Amino acid sequence: MANLVEKAINHKLNRRSFLGLSAGAVAAVTLPGCGLQKVDADKAAELSQKQGEWITAACWHNCGGRCLNKAYVVEGVVIRQKTDDTHPDSPDFPQQRGCARGRSHRKMVLGADRLKYPMKRKNWEPGGGNKELRGKDEWVRISWDEALDIMASEIMRIKDKYGNASFFAPAGGSGGGMEPQRLLNAYGGCTERWGNVSWGSWPDVYSTVTGLPNNGASSGNDRFRLRDSKLIILWGANPAQSSQGLPTYNYLQAKKAGAKFIVIDPLYTESARTLGDQWIPVRPATDTTLLLGMAHYIITNNLLDQSFLDNCTIGFDADHMPAGADPKENFKDYVLGTFDGTPKTPEWASEICGVGVDIIKKFAHEYATTKPAAIISGGAPARINNGEHLPHAMMTLAYMTGNIGIPGAGVSPNMHNSATNAGPALVQPGGNGIPKVNNPIAKSRINSGEMWDAVLDGQFTESKGKKVDVNIQMIWNWFSHTLNQRAGATRGIEAHKKVEFAVAQNLFLTTDARYSDLVLPVTSQWERLGGLLTGNREILIYHTQVIKPLFEAKSDMWIVAEIAKRLGVDTKIVDPVSEEQQLYNQIAGATVMKADGSGYEKLVTFTAEDIQALGAKGAPQTGRISYQEFKEKGIYQVPRSRGDKLEFTSFEDFLADPVGKKLATPSGKFEIYCDTLSKKIDKIGFSTKSPIPKYDPPREGYEDGVKDGYPFQIVTIHYYRRSHSTLDNVPWLREAFPQEFWMNAGDAAKLGIKTNDIVKVTSRHGVVIRPAYVTERIMPGVVALGEGAWVEMDEQAGVDKAGSTGIINGHIATGQGHSGYNSCNVKVEKYDKPLEPDYKWPQRIIF
Ligand SMILES: Nc1nc2c(c(=O)[nH]1)N[C@H]1C(S)=C(S)[C@@H](COP(=O)(O)OP(=O)(O)OC[C@H]3O[C@@H](n4cnc5c(=O)[nH]c(N)nc54)[C@H](O)[C@@H]3O)O[C@H]1N2
Ligand SMILES: Nc1nc2c(c(=O)[nH]1)N[C@H]1C(S)=C(S)[C@@H](COP(=O)(O)OP(=O)(O)OC[C@H]3O[C@@H](n4cnc5c(=O)[nH]c(N)nc54)[C@H](O)[C@@H]3O)O[C@H]1N2
Ligand code: SF4
Ligand SMILES: [Mo]
């Protein structure tokens, strides 16, 4: 290992001098064809005086925003970046400006640690060889031919010996293309991963309770209607960090228009600091008790909107239950404790959630007496084990007060790039024309919470009470960072060491790649032909190629097509549509909402010459803007103004006519008693849920921590420095946003911990070390760590030095199969060895 590190440092120096890159200097470069050109400081200075071209550069990650970013390219060299200046900025027609991550993109795309060549593990042999060496073996550079031959021969060998179900394709999460899975599907199928790793328990609850076929992401109000709100509750939502781009600016317009903001979060976040009129810290994974305590106050103080409940919901009280349901199982009697003897009073709630009784009462009163009020949640509070009660209780509170379906009101998880701008897309791309290849063994699918156990123990849950044997022998990692970004990474590393063949297809030596046998370098979007990116509902971005492919990197499609040839699979199935045609299909098929809101029309005008220049086939068409204008600007932004026909509030139609415009639920109403949901959860077989929202302490929640001697609850937040794990390797960003461990000042004092002391954090599942950030900005008993750091195991000490939350979080299958990262308990102690800041660590440069 020491040898490897030394080698990496030398290579880093070599490459730096080769490129003439000094800190802060301009960067690289391609020559026609391939490879790099030498750019020293003098050459860089010379180039920066020359005329170049601004090219729209993709910022393509699952970052929670979407902005316009451009790269200035002179003679093939990227000189600098900028963001949106296509029109003057104003609150009503804002620019789409990038964040620190987007503005550092060239440091990632042109990073010295890009994978340059295919590599195999030195001691690899067919069947794995010494598998224990995974993660610490040396890397050997190989040709593409050898890499592709190894891929094909191992795939054939494993299929022959174990069958198709032994291929595991765990992508998803941020996942873009599904190329490797197309190939495996065409070759007889593979075992897939399933389960929402992102939105917690929102998706199934939102869709089942409301009958809308979505996870609630685009529900609530658009940015203009938010200005109608009198009260906005950011419930476990931190847009300033996790919805970068416009959302915080849009919230500021609502604040200017008079909205009060209350923030419910164990952390005093940047959003609380920027927007909040009040901060209510709450223990993680206990929000349901706070909601129930509020419900108790609202019921007992006669603040209910009874006519809304009667007309628009089912299951609130014994008189409004669905046919066949036990009348005692109604929500009101549960809250009042009529049958179980436990009234869910603010006092009861306070004991569990840690919010003062008077604060709960005042908050409940304010919410119930303010209209319109909007509850806007992040995914975070629902990212807990057996977490289905939380969204259900949150929605029920809005129904009890009638705070939904009127401009400025609502309840939904409105985070990510639809935050502050709910509603159907106003501009959208066409399809790329690639047909799906079905998986012939689609039933072989393992939940994220069980996948590493399944690899290690050979079994997974197909449905309640039904375990199925599986013998995974190949893991193919691509376009997600599964080993790093799912819970249970310690088990994941063991699983990677167990199988006969592990491969990673990425831009960097990520955690997945490090524990693989074979690593295949892929091109970034800056090196590909171009494509469209969606973001908030008003924009469509058209990014184009910035540089030629670096070193020997190839596109995912090229890689699988080459493997297909060797496997005897028809490449037309795997790679059926040329890149040029895909791009054309998306642009020609792009549509934009008409100004009167009556439907969509074509966005782009194409002439026969445009189509020919693109290298595609198609007929000329007329749209709102010319192809040339779209390409030059790189963006189309729908013109908007207050009062236009494109404003949006969820459930307005239903509210106007609850009888005529029924919801698509069995009752046609919002279901406070939702049997469909309980049955669905029950059938999956991981946990159970009563038809009404109740408090069911989550596994590894507050109570389990107290019981089992883990005094702290950890929240794993989405962090400024990166988009999940993406961009975590950029030293600029590492330096600007240290991967620090948040701890309350009182708690830290008791343990003798000060800011920058190195602490050891131990959960039931793994151990990490990190520098402490001691602050009053987090409530006592709670600690926090940003998710996404790249696992960096100190094998001897048995600790992860990077502070990867995948190591801390448990591998637990739960609820609808979602991931419950915010229910987790830890112990904290001072660590006795120093730790260098991670921006000074050697980059993972092998060649
Ligand atoms: N910078 C950055 N932004 C991102 C991403 C990224 O990786 N980096 N990823 C994007 C993606 S894919 C997603 S899904 C979204 C996620 O977006 P969110 O889920 O909104 O983001 P989080 O940072 O996980 O959590 C938001 C807030 O919830 C709080 N919180 C955590 N647990 C609880 C709880 O139990 N109760 C309450 N009341 N609050 C709690 C946290 O302290 C945090 O301040 O972010 C997107 N945006
Ligand atoms: N503890 C904890 N864990 C979490 C969360 C949390 O809150 N707490 N949040 C979860 C959430 S919300 C999400 S959405 C997931 C995200 O989980 P993932 O999707 O697994 O994470 P990313 O870091 O986005 O991984 C994307 C990977 O694809 C690679 N990549 C980019 N472009 C290409 C390409 O063109 N081809 C190929 N082959 N590779 C490419 C990138 O380099 C990167 O390694 O993480 C989840 N993990
Ligand atoms: S918010 Fe996302 S799209 Fe916008 S600049 Fe940042 S990383 Fe790029
Ligand atoms: Mo996500």
Side-chain angles (χ1 to χ4, degrees):
M1 193 67 187
N3 183 19
L4 270 185
V5 170
E6 213 170 89
K7 212 166 142 191
I9 292 168
N10 288 338
H11 272 292
K12 181 172 145 189
L13 291 175
N14 287 343
R15 177 150 139 84
R16 281 208 163 176
S17 42
F18 175 60
L19 286 175
L21 287 179
S22 57
V26 289
V29 217
T30 48
L31 283 175
C34 64
L36 295 164
Q37 62 173 288
K38 185 174 172 177
V39 180
D40 56 20
D42 289 345
K43 174 81 175 169
E46 182 196 322
L47 285 176
S48 63
Q49 299 306 312
K50 289 192 176 171
Q51 185 64 33
E53 189 191 359
W54 283 107
I55 300 180
T56 305
C59 205
W60 71 98
H61 310 287
N62 187 14
C63 63
R66 194 60 76 219
C67 321
L68 185 65
N69 287 301
K70 296 199 174 186
Y72 193 62
V73 183
V74 185
E75 295 178 10
V77 179
V78 179
I79 299 285
R80 59 180 175 272
Q81 282 187 237
K82 71 172 180 182
T83 187
D84 191 4
D85 59 0
T86 51
H87 60 83
D89 189 52
S90 69
D92 286 5
F93 196 57
Q95 294 174 346
Q96 310 288 325
R97 295 192 203 160
C99 73
R101 297 167 297 168
R103 292 169 196 242
S104 317
H105 237 74
R106 72 186 196 278
K107 294 286 171 186
M108 182 188 93
V109 168
L110 303 168
D113 55 351
R114 274 287 297 272
L115 290 170
K116 303 174 187 72
Y117 315 105
M119 309 191 294
K120 71 174 176 189
R121 203 159 62 69
K122 188 173 177 190
N123 290 286
W124 175 82
E125 287 166 25
N130 182 351
K131 298 189 282 188
E132 267 307 306
L133 286 176
R134 285 186 188 138
K136 46 192 174 208
D137 209 346
E138 278 186 56
W139 292 104
V140 182
R141 177 181 167 181
I142 55 174
S143 67
W144 266 111
D145 266 341
E146 185 181 349
L148 298 165
D149 287 348
I150 292 176
M151 283 297 286
S153 60
E154 283 298 277
I155 289 173
M156 283 192 270
R157 190 185 60 75
I158 290 168
K159 179 178 167 115
D160 272 1
K161 197 164 166 193
Y162 304 104
N164 278 84
S166 63
F167 300 132
F168 188 39
S174 305
M178 294 305 276
E179 293 86 354
Q181 180 144 4
R182 294 177 67 75
L183 172 61
L184 292 173
N185 287 356
Y187 192 56
C190 61
T191 296
E192 295 177 20
R193 182 203 61 81
W194 73 277
N196 195 299
V197 299
S198 179
W199 293 78
S201 56
W202 273 104
D204 278 0
V205 180
Y206 196 83
S207 58
T208 326
V209 167
T210 66
L212 280 188
N214 69 39
N215 61 11
S218 53
S219 291
N221 294 280
D222 82 330
R223 63 190 175 95
F224 287 107
R225 293 272 176 95
L226 263 187
R227 299 181 196 171
D228 295 330
S229 283
K230 291 202 179 110
L231 174 63
I232 295 179
I233 298 163
L234 292 178
W235 202 306
N238 180 13
Q241 180 160 239
S242 71
S243 301
Q244 293 189 53
L246 282 172
T248 305
Y249 185 64
N250 291 338
Y251 278 127
L252 278 169
Q253 308 316 317
K255 196 170 174 69
K256 250 197 308 194
K260 175 177 177 181
F261 279 78
I262 299 180
V263 180
I264 319 289
D265 199 306
L267 273 62
Y268 184 68
T269 59
E270 297 299 343
S271 306
R273 189 144 89 176
T274 310
L275 301 164
D277 294 286
Q278 188 183 0
W279 171 45
I280 303 182
V282 62
R283 284 192 187 112
T286 67
D287 300 79
T288 306
T289 63
L290 173 55
L291 290 156
L292 292 171
M294 291 170 75
H296 190 278
Y297 179 91
I298 292 169
I299 294 168
T300 52
N301 288 277
N302 300 319
L303 296 173
L304 291 171
D305 186 336
Q306 195 61 49
S307 84
F308 184 96
L309 284 168
D310 294 349
N311 294 327
C312 303
T313 72
I314 191 146
F316 179 71
D317 55 32
D319 298 333
H320 298 88
M321 292 292 275
D326 177 357
K328 286 184 179 168
E329 266 297 299
N330 70 81
F331 184 71
K332 187 175 177 185
D333 281 315
Y334 169 71
V335 171
L336 295 175
T338 315
F339 303 110
D340 67 2
T342 306
K344 315 302 172 302
T345 58
E347 289 76 8
W348 167 86
S350 175
E351 283 291 310
I352 306 170
C353 70
V355 181
V357 174
D358 288 345
I359 296 173
I360 299 177
K361 289 182 179 171
K362 191 163 168 280
F363 178 32
H365 194 90
E366 187 163 3
Y367 176 63
T369 55
T370 308
K371 255 191 196 173
I375 299 181
I376 295 172
S377 179
R383 241 177 248 125
I384 56 173
N385 295 328
N386 43 301
E388 277 72 20
H389 291 284
L390 182 270
H392 201 181
M394 202 177 273
M395 290 155 79
T396 299
L397 205 70
Y399 306 151
M400 287 168 62
T401 56
N403 248 323
I404 190 162
I406 42 174
V411 55
S412 58
N414 188 223
M415 58 166 195
H416 209 272
N417 55 23
S418 59
T420 66
N421 216 347
L426 298 178
V427 56
Q428 57 195 1
N432 61 11
I434 300 187
K436 196 169 177 250
V437 184
N438 288 326
N439 184 358
I441 53 165
K443 265 184 114 177
S444 192
R445 52 200 289 273
I446 313 176
N447 181 253
S448 319
E450 281 194 328
M451 64 183 164
W452 303 134
D453 291 341
V455 175
L456 292 166
D457 306 334
Q459 254 199 350
F460 70 94
T461 306
E462 192 184 276
S463 56
K464 187 179 184 181
K466 188 165 180 209
K467 296 269 184 194
V468 175
D469 289 341
V470 71
N471 182 4
I472 300 294
Q473 290 298 350
M474 171 178 174
I475 303 175
W476 191 340
N477 296 297
W478 85 94
F479 219 148
S480 66
H481 197 173
T482 308
L483 183 50
N484 206 78
Q485 290 305 111
R486 311 288 166 267
T490 314
R491 295 281 282 165
I493 291 173
E494 282 177 55
H496 271 70
K497 288 183 177 172
K498 179 176 180 248
V499 295
E500 292 193 354
F501 190 45
V503 54
Q505 187 166 310
N506 208 310
L507 292 92
F508 303 101
L509 195 69
T510 50
T511 308
D512 293 342
R514 194 174 243 186
Y515 290 94
S516 289
D517 297 309
L518 191 67
V519 174
L520 308 176
V522 298
T523 45
S524 74
Q525 290 292 341
W526 285 27
E527 293 142 71
R528 299 188 193 172
L529 183 64
L532 300 188
L533 286 166
T534 54
N536 69 56
R537 66 194 294 244
E538 296 167 17
I539 61 166
L540 189 62
I541 289 175
Y542 174 17
H543 60 90
T544 36
Q545 184 162 6
V546 179
I547 49 171
K548 293 241 165 62
L550 290 179
F551 296 92
E552 291 187 5
K554 300 284 184 193
S555 73
D556 295 282
M557 194 58 112
W558 181 88
I559 297 170
V560 297
E562 287 299 314
I563 302 168
K565 283 183 205 160
R566 288 162 171 82
L567 292 175
V569 171
D570 184 355
T571 50
K572 287 216 179 61
I573 300 176
V574 177
D575 182 10
V577 184
S578 73
E579 269 186 277
E580 292 77 9
Q581 191 65 39
Q582 284 182 48
L583 183 60
Y584 168 77
N585 291 347
Q586 287 182 68
I587 301 174
T591 51
V592 57
M593 183 73 81
K594 294 179 195 160
D596 63 4
S598 63
Y600 292 96
E601 62 192 13
K602 289 243 181 261
L603 176 66
V604 179
T605 297
F606 264 112
T607 63
E609 294 75 49
D610 294 331
I611 301 170
Q612 202 185 13
L614 243 178
K617 289 203 170 70
Q621 64 177 40
T622 307
R624 225 185 247 192
I625 52 167
S626 73
Y627 171 69
Q628 294 308 334
E629 183 188 341
F630 193 30
K631 187 168 180 192
E632 246 166 65
K633 273 198 176 157
I635 188 166
Y636 180 76
Q637 183 169 342
V638 178
R640 295 289 317 270
S641 58
R642 185 76 242 236
D644 68 16
K645 294 280 188 308
L646 308 175
E647 289 192 356
F648 177 82
T649 303
S650 299
F651 303 111
E652 251 186 322
D653 287 3
F654 173 61
L655 257 280
D657 181 11
V659 179
K661 300 222 165 106
K662 285 186 176 18
L663 299 178
T665 55
S667 63
K669 300 177 174 184
F670 293 122
E671 302 214 330
I672 297 173
Y673 184 100
C674 187
D675 198 32
T676 325
L677 180 59
S678 321
K679 289 210 170 95
K680 201 168 180 178
I681 304 295
D682 194 53
K683 197 167 160 213
I684 292 170
F686 298 144
S687 51
T688 54
K689 183 188 177 295
S690 51
I692 53 164
K694 291 186 174 178
Y695 182 57
D696 175 13
R699 201 170 142 194
E700 302 198 9
Y702 168 63
E703 295 83 348
D704 278 358
V706 173
K707 183 162 63 65
D708 298 344
Y710 288 87
F712 294 99
Q713 288 184 271
I714 189 165
V715 290
T716 62
I717 54 174
H718 291 240
Y719 191 46
Y720 287 116
R721 151 159 149 185
R722 52 193 174 241
S723 164
H724 305 290
S725 68
T726 303
L727 292 144
D728 189 50
N729 51 329
V730 174
W732 264 17
L733 290 167
R734 286 191 171 191
E735 192 172 353
F737 307 108
Q739 170 72 354
E740 56 202 4
F741 178 77
W742 283 47
M743 213 178 165
N744 171 269
D747 290 338
K750 279 185 216 147
L751 295 171
I753 292 168
K754 298 185 299 301
T755 289
N756 286 334
D757 283 353
I758 306 304
V759 294
K760 179 174 164 186
V761 184
T762 307
S763 75
R764 297 176 186 81
H765 315 282
V767 190
V768 305
I769 54 169
R770 275 289 91 205
Y773 166 55
V774 174
T775 175
E776 298 284 357
R777 292 174 56 198
I778 185 164
M779 74 184 289
V782 183
V783 292
L785 199 55
E787 61 103 5
W790 294 16
V791 173
E792 190 66 63
M793 287 309 291
D794 176 338
E795 300 274 352
Q796 258 185 339
V799 301
D800 163 41
K801 297 191 292 184
S804 174
T805 50
I807 294 283
I808 286 288
N809 285 135
H811 193 217
I812 294 169
T814 189
Q816 59 198 253
H818 64 280
S819 298
Y821 313 106
N822 287 329
S823 42
C824 183
N825 314 116
V826 295
K827 298 173 189 172
V828 181
E829 62 200 292
K830 232 171 150 165
Y831 194 62
D832 54 4
K833 292 193 195 74
L835 181 67
E836 212 183 10
D838 56 8
Y839 69 89
K840 294 188 177 166
W841 294 0
Q843 289 178 279
R844 296 185 184 181
I845 305 167
I846 308 301
F847 297 106

